[in-house]
Amino acid sequence: MTNRKMQIIELTLKNIQEKGFTSFSYEHLAKELGVTKASIHYHFEKKGDLGIAVCERIQQGLERTFTLMKESTLPAEEKPFAFIMQRIEFLEQDGICPISALQADYQELPQPMQEKLLQLSQMEIDVFVELLKEAKQQGALQATHDLEALAVLLISSTKGALQYKRVLGEAFFLKMLEQLKELLK
C-alpha cells in the first residue's frame, strides 16, 4: 500500500473518531494532507470505498490484538482485560472507538460499508467471547453462563465510558476500568 494511501486511511480514521464519518469530506482531508481532492479520489473513488478501507484497517488491528492476546503468556483470566486495554491504547488520548463512531452513522453509510461494519462489529464480539471462553476454561468466570452477553456488556460499557470520558474526564473512565476488572475475576 502506498504511503499516501495509508496517510489518507489514518487521517480518515482520526476524523471518524473526532467527527464521525458523515461530518468530513474529501476537501477536509485534502486540506489536512496538503494535497488536491483529485489525489484522494485517485486512491479512493468514492467515500464509501475509503470507509471500507478504514474498516479493513480497524479489522487488522483487532486481529493483531487478538493474536497478541492468544499468544501471550498472560494467564487466561487476565487476557480479556488485557485485550480491552490494548484496544484502548489504539485510540488517541480523547478518541472514541472508531467502530462506535461508524455505528452512530450506520443509517447514513453506503450499503457495502454497512455490511462491512456489521461484520466488523460481530467480529469484535466474537474475538472477545473467545478470550472469555479461554478464561472460563481456566477456572475464571464460573458464575457466568452467557459469555456472549458478558462480552456485549463489557464492550458496551467500555465504549460508553470512552464517550463519557470526553465530558467527565479520566477519573470517571478509570473508575469504570476498575469495575470492569472486578467483573472479570
Side-chain angles (χ1 to χ4, degrees):
M1 186 175 301
T2 68
N3 191 33
R4 176 68 68 206
K5 192 172 188 178
M6 188 49 94
Q7 286 177 326
I8 294 167
I9 291 169
E10 292 298 324
L11 182 58
T12 300
L13 185 58
K14 181 178 176 267
N15 273 274
I16 288 169
Q17 288 178 266
E18 291 174 358
K19 308 175 206 182
F21 186 75
T22 60
S23 297
F24 72 91
S25 67
Y26 276 20
E27 186 173 334
H28 291 118
L29 295 176
K31 283 181 183 174
E32 287 186 65
L33 289 170
V35 299
T36 64
K37 281 185 359 183
S39 77
I40 295 174
H41 281 284
Y42 171 79
H43 295 288
F44 302 100
E45 185 179 339
K46 299 179 209 152
K47 192 174 177 186
D49 298 333
L50 176 55
I52 288 174
V54 168
C55 287
E56 289 168 352
R57 162 71 176 82
I58 296 167
Q59 181 177 339
Q60 291 166 358
L62 266 174
E63 289 168 350
R64 268 193 307 276
T65 304
F66 178 66
T67 300
L68 183 71
M69 288 302 110
K70 288 295 281 183
E71 294 174 354
S72 169
T73 58
L74 284 173
E77 63 274 8
E78 293 179 23
K79 289 180 180 183
F81 187 75
F83 177 81
I84 288 172
M85 294 307 293
Q86 284 285 319
R87 296 305 296 157
I88 290 169
E89 286 178 23
F90 169 73
L91 306 173
E92 294 290 326
Q93 177 73 344
D94 289 320
I96 63 167
C97 172
I99 297 171
S100 298
L102 288 167
Q103 289 166 338
D105 290 336
Y106 185 78
Q107 299 302 325
E108 306 300 318
L109 301 177
Q111 183 65 31
M113 203 173 151
Q114 286 181 346
E115 291 169 13
K116 187 68 177 169
L117 181 57
L118 176 63
Q119 293 168 359
L120 185 58
S121 299
Q122 189 60 55
M123 177 194 167
E124 183 177 40
I125 293 167
D126 292 345
V127 298
F128 198 66
V129 168
E130 187 66 31
L131 293 172
L132 292 172
K133 279 182 186 174
E134 186 181 333
K136 187 169 179 107
Q137 288 169 352
Q138 296 301 314
L141 306 170
Q142 291 307 308
T144 304
H145 301 291
D146 188 343
L147 294 177
E148 185 172 4
L150 179 60
V152 169
L153 172 70
L154 297 174
I155 290 169
S156 299
S157 297
T158 303
K159 291 174 180 236
L162 285 168
Q163 298 260 14
Y164 271 89
K165 177 182 165 187
R166 286 179 149 183
V167 178
L168 299 178
E170 187 74 21
F172 173 87
F173 187 71
L174 294 174
K175 200 180 284 188
M176 184 283 307
L177 284 177
E178 288 173 24
Q179 286 300 303
L180 191 141
K181 198 169 193 175
E182 285 297 314
L183 275 173
L184 288 170
K185 285 186 176 181

